[in-house]
Amino acid sequence: MKPDLATDGHTTYDLIVANGLIVNAGGSRQGSVLVKDGRVVDVIGADQPLPPARRIVDATGILVLPGGVDPHCHVGQVLGEFSMLDDHEQAGIAALWGGTTTIIDFAIPDPGQAPLEALHEKLKLLDRCRTDVAIHGAVINWDSTTKAQLKAMAELGVLTVKMFTTYRDGVMASFETIENVMRELETLGGMAIIHAEENHLIEDTQEKAVREGREHARFHPESRPEAAEAAAVVRSLELAEKTGASVYFVHQTTPEAVDLVADARSRGVRAYSETCPHYLTLDDTVYEGEHPELFVCCPPLRSADTVKNLRALVGDGLVHTIGSDHCCYSREQKAKHSHDMRSMPNGLPGAESRLTVSFDTLVVQQGMSVESFVALFSTNPARLNGLSAKGWIGPGSDADIVVFDPGLTKAITAAGHHMNSDYSPYEGMTFTGWPTAVISKGNVVVDSDGFHDPGPVGRFLHARARIDSDPALPPQAAAGLWARDAPSTTDYATKEVLT
Ligand code: URP
Ligand code: ZN
Ligand code: ZN
């Protein structure tokens, strides 16, 4: 982080992020971002003199990105006997360190609990948020009250509803429930969020694994085959096509699943693909190591070939968002049932590492443009969830900004991260591209001096109806603010070790 420039005189702006390459999904330009009252007021070109401001953060020679929007982040969730180890204070601080300024969490009902009640419970837990937070609702069973509950949830600003096609006796929804919910969401302008793994295929494989004594965590990948993911995507897409609903698939791990969504889109279905940093960087050889349980997530990490092919599809623009699927567990929690993958807590900690791991993988190693990366990391998650002030930098956007050094290389370690997990799936691995300053609603929360706690300033964000029917969205966000400017020609593909 470079030192602040001198900033005395007549204060007009609260903050200026000066002289960086400002990257929006639609294009980039060299310039400075002027901030007042938590919002971006203006963006001026590099040739214009800086007006007075209380503080100037110098971004000369580096990038200025919209704050990250994490579309898939489990915070403090209780699933069966395991509780995740963070709340919105801890998860928010970790996310801010990692350049994410908006989190989308889930309100997942406990067994027997109504979805609306789960939402009310979740909303009570948002009083210590450090980031702004939106919520996905969830439905497990359709009954005579669900329609009214979905309407009430929509009125509270929750238009995205998650359903799991697996985890029977837990949170699994039947395809009949999924169809009913999709039909309702279509009328509300919402979107179904699907965890796609065909449960009966998984149970068949797991029963066979148990008969053969292969239920240890090291056999986790073979117990949840790629075919199970594809099968559930096919059935969910059929229902989206039948009901006209928008559908978003969380954590897609295979080229086949992504291709199915792309085919459906070509038939006019509003279908979207999310993948996660771990599915682009880690492969199933980790399950042969000393601690396979630390990598147990659903779907599992796939073969190196699948990872390579999935990355290629992300490079081709077929994936719309990168979510962390953050689940904060300890080594002890992961180890408790490592002898039986059916009873383990699933998921990996990742809210903090989402930016750096995916930037290194997609931009540094694969040569993706930074503009396309911003779309995956920030703009598309905001747009698909109706968060119109998020995911772009320009007059009227929230002043959520990441000053980002694309050439800085550092290792990720659990000792160095801020998530409340005592391990990292990336322990000791080096990644290039790190934030040097993070600004959340105009507050500099991370800089070279460390973390500056903004306090519980996070707001609950009400989602508006989906982007393709949202007249309130600023046209410059929809079109890509800088689409008229020439795309960046900077070469980020060189991996240079600076630290
Ligand atoms: O393994 C995972 N992903 N656990 C978290 C819950 C979910 O399925 O998203
Ligand atoms: Zn899931
Ligand atoms: Zn998840």
Side-chain angles (χ1 to χ4, degrees):
M1 184 44 203
K2 297 178 174 61
D4 289 1
L5 303 175
T7 59
D8 214 350
H10 307 288
T11 300
T12 305
Y13 295 100
D14 297 334
L15 175 74
I16 297 178
V17 181
N19 301 322
L21 182 67
I22 304 159
V23 187
N24 276 300
S28 308
R29 67 176 287 189
Q30 205 69 45
S32 302
V33 185
L34 314 186
V35 173
K36 195 164 174 57
D37 298 330
R39 292 230 155 189
V40 173
V41 178
D42 207 353
V43 176
I44 56 174
D47 50 344
Q48 289 179 255
L50 296 183
R54 281 206 196 91
R55 181 164 182 186
I56 296 182
V57 172
D58 182 16
T60 304
I62 54 179
L63 307 180
V64 177
L65 312 179
V69 178
D70 188 344
H72 185 164
C73 190
H74 302 269
V75 180
Q77 194 169 296
V78 181
L79 281 171
E81 74 173 281
F82 294 103
S83 301
M84 294 176 191
L85 298 175
D86 53 9
D87 59 15
H88 270 283
E89 178 174 350
Q90 291 162 318
I93 290 172
L96 290 170
W97 270 105
T100 286
T101 48
T102 303
I103 281 174
I104 312 187
D105 187 10
F106 298 85
I108 297 182
D110 294 330
Q113 191 183 33
L116 183 58
E117 193 190 330
L119 175 58
H120 281 299
E121 290 301 314
K122 178 57 85 170
L123 293 178
K124 283 188 210 152
L125 301 176
L126 301 186
D127 58 338
R128 302 195 54 74
C129 288
R130 266 43 186 181
T131 64
D132 284 348
V133 176
I135 303 290
H136 300 299
V139 170
I140 300 172
N141 297 308
W142 180 269
D143 65 26
S144 58
T145 67
T146 313
K147 183 175 164 136
Q149 290 189 60
L150 289 172
K151 185 158 185 292
M153 287 159 67
E155 282 160 5
L156 284 169
V158 172
L159 279 157
T160 45
V161 175
K162 177 144 184 204
M163 287 166 288
F164 297 82
T165 66
T166 185
Y167 306 138
R168 192 153 61 90
D169 303 328
V171 290
M172 186 170 107
S174 67
F175 283 102
E176 195 184 342
T177 291
I178 293 174
E179 179 175 348
N180 286 331
V181 172
M182 281 184 171
R183 190 162 282 116
E184 204 46 39
L185 288 173
E186 149 57 11
T187 67
L188 294 168
M191 183 164 71
I193 310 283
I194 304 290
H195 172 134
E197 285 182 293
E198 179 69 80
N199 193 63
H200 72 84
L201 292 178
I202 288 168
E203 286 189 359
D204 289 353
T205 332
Q206 287 188 336
E207 274 162 28
K208 183 165 176 288
V210 172
R211 281 199 303 276
E212 293 170 356
R214 295 163 74 83
E215 65 267 44
H216 190 272
R218 87 178 65 96
F219 304 113
H220 174 64
E222 65 190 62
S223 80
R224 304 185 85 95
E226 294 190 10
E229 187 173 340
V233 172
V234 168
R235 289 188 73 179
S236 306
L237 285 169
E238 280 167 8
L239 298 179
E241 203 154 2
K242 187 170 162 191
T243 58
S246 300
V247 61
Y248 174 100
F249 292 93
V250 289
H251 50 47
Q252 292 209 301
T253 68
T254 72
E256 189 183 1
V258 171
D259 275 335
L260 284 164
V261 172
D263 287 350
R265 287 178 64 73
S266 68
R267 298 194 300 276
V269 182
R270 282 191 301 262
Y272 306 96
S273 290
E274 172 197 277
T275 192
C276 309
H278 39 287
Y279 297 121
L280 297 172
T281 46
L282 303 173
D283 64 48
D284 59 5
T285 56
V286 297
Y287 298 111
E288 295 160 16
E290 201 184 339
H291 289 291
E293 71 278 5
L294 299 182
F295 300 93
V296 167
C297 52
C298 301
L301 301 170
R302 303 297 192 189
S303 70
D305 260 0
T306 297
V307 172
K308 189 173 107 217
N309 296 333
L310 179 68
R311 276 191 194 198
L313 291 193
V314 179
D316 290 345
L318 296 192
V319 168
H320 301 91
T321 68
I322 303 276
S324 69
D325 198 3
H326 172 75
C327 296
C328 192
Y329 292 116
S330 65
R331 299 178 77 97
E332 191 185 344
Q333 287 174 305
K334 295 294 270 187
K336 184 162 181 208
H337 296 306
S338 60
H339 57 280
D340 186 351
M341 87 288 258
R342 294 168 303 172
S343 337
M344 285 196 55
N346 302 314
L348 311 181
E352 186 171 349
S353 44
R354 186 176 67 110
L355 169 55
T356 281
V357 172
S358 50
F359 184 90
D360 181 299
T361 306
L362 296 172
V363 180
V364 178
Q365 293 183 43
Q366 279 212 168
M368 174 182 274
S369 74
V370 186
E371 291 83 357
S372 298
F373 176 78
V374 162
L376 289 165
F377 177 70
S378 189
T379 314
N380 292 345
R383 292 179 63 181
L384 287 171
N385 289 284
L387 309 176
S388 55
K390 303 293 186 185
W392 56 288
I393 296 174
S397 71
D398 281 354
D400 295 343
I401 296 167
V402 181
V403 182
F404 186 81
D405 186 341
L408 182 61
T409 299
K410 288 195 286 187
I412 290 182
T413 61
H417 75 200
H418 305 85
M419 295 178 282
N420 200 26
S421 177
D422 57 358
Y423 80 98
S424 166
Y426 309 104
E427 186 66 37
M429 293 168 67
T430 55
F431 293 93
T432 296
W434 289 79
T436 59
V438 179
I439 293 146
S440 177
K441 288 179 290 179
N443 294 314
V444 181
V445 290
V446 176
D447 64 11
S448 55
D449 296 330
F451 189 71
H452 308 281
D453 192 347
V457 295
R459 299 167 302 186
F460 168 55
L461 300 175
H462 293 228
R464 275 202 264 267
R466 62 172 178 263
I467 182 78
D468 43 5
S469 66
D470 183 4
L473 193 86
Q476 64 271 47
L481 183 61
W482 305 113
R484 65 186 180 282
D485 290 345
S488 154
T489 51
T490 317
D491 175 17
Y492 299 106
T494 325
K495 195 160 182 166
E496 191 185 354
V497 178
L498 297 180
T499 58

